Amino acid sequence: MTKRNSPLFSVGDTVRERWRTRLLTVESVVETPILRWYIVSSGMAFDEDRLRLVKRADEETNEVYEILTKLNEEDSKG
């Protein structure tokens, strides 16, 4: 049995789905024999290949996070 790498994302990290701008927060990490699933704030589950890190939970905000936050606010206004 091979040892897995540690998870790319942790609970509380802000991520986005690949090719999308919607911000999601990692709620939990579920280990299965084949894949590691990240359950996000929308209730959906993604594997690590589908997600991109935007901001670690313990980091200050960064430029990418600020830009995506503004885009998400504009989208929610319609």
Side-chain angles (χ1 to χ4, degrees), residues 19-33:
W19 312 117
R20 307 218 181 226
T21 59
R22 182 175 56 151
L23 297 175
L24 306 164
T25 302
V26 177
E27 300 281 325
S28 64
V29 181
V30 177
E31 298 277 346
T32 65

Side-chain angles (χ1 to χ4, degrees), residues 27-58:
E27 300 281 325
S28 64
V29 181
V30 177
E31 298 277 346
T32 65
I34 298 172
L35 288 173
R36 181 178 291 130
W37 294 99
Y38 297 92
I39 312 302
V40 297
S41 51
S42 66
M44 296 178 69
F46 295 97
D47 65 28
E48 53 198 36
D49 291 337
R50 294 276 311 269
L51 296 176
R52 297 293 177 254
L53 180 68
V54 175
K55 185 181 84 63
R56 292 265 177 225
D58 57 351

Side-chain angles (χ1 to χ4, degrees), residues 7 21 35 45 64 69 71 78:
T21 59
L35 288 173
V64 172
T69 300
L71 285 173

